[in-house]
Amino acid sequence: MAIKNSFSLLLSSLMVFALIVIPTISGQSIGTWCVANPKIQDPVVQAALGWACQQSEAYCSRIQLGQNCYSPNTLRDHASVVFNTYYQQNKNQPGSCDFNSAAVITNTDPSHDTCQFESVPDSK
């Protein structure tokens, strides 16, 4: 009986280990991010970006010249940074990653170079 319990505990531990470590080893990140929707036209994305920046200067601080998410200096890259910052801070509110359809949720971490995208766990 003790051997069976030990085996069961070992198997459970291995399953937990696999769930935590394998996605990290394979280069996949666990989380959700909000990024600019590639299917939406630039004027819609630009308007959504402007709206988000009006909500709080903090949402747009990282895309200013000289900041860690300024480059690449494109509308969609900047919008993704701002949309994700807004989304992470308002994740518990419905539609926090919509921006008039200018944004979508992804499970792929969009971080690059010095620009790290935050991912806050969902609150249940």
Side-chain angles (χ1 to χ4, degrees):
M1 187 68 150
I3 292 175
K4 185 176 181 180
N5 287 341
S6 295
F7 179 74
S8 180
L9 180 62
L10 176 63
L11 186 58
S12 296
S13 297
L14 285 173
M15 289 173 58
V16 169
F17 176 80
L19 289 171
I20 294 171
V21 173
I22 290 176
T24 303
I25 292 172
S26 68
Q28 297 174 351
S29 299
I30 299 172
T32 58
W33 295 266
C34 182
V35 295
N37 187 341
K39 297 178 181 178
I40 299 299
Q41 295 180 350
D42 286 355
V44 176
V45 176
Q46 182 68 54
L49 175 61
W51 178 87
C53 287
Q54 288 176 349
Q55 302 310 301
S56 172
E57 288 181 20
Y59 297 142
C60 296
S61 63
R62 296 176 58 212
I63 62 170
Q64 301 305 311
L65 181 62
Q67 297 301 311
N68 63 337
C69 291
Y70 177 77
S71 293
N73 183 14
T74 70
L75 170 63
R76 292 185 185 277
D77 285 298
H78 283 184
S80 292
V81 171
V82 173
F83 293 167
N84 188 66
T85 302
Y86 179 92
Y87 169 68
Q88 298 302 333
Q89 292 183 13
N90 299 282
K91 210 172 199 178
N92 58 344
Q93 297 177 16
S96 59
C97 181
D98 184 58
F99 300 94
N100 200 24
S101 299
V104 293
I105 293 176
T106 182
N107 293 322
T108 303
D109 184 350
S111 298
H112 53 87
D113 303 320
T114 62
C115 185
Q116 297 301 307
F117 282 61
E118 179 182 22
S119 180
V120 175
D122 293 336
S123 60
K124 300 279 179 182

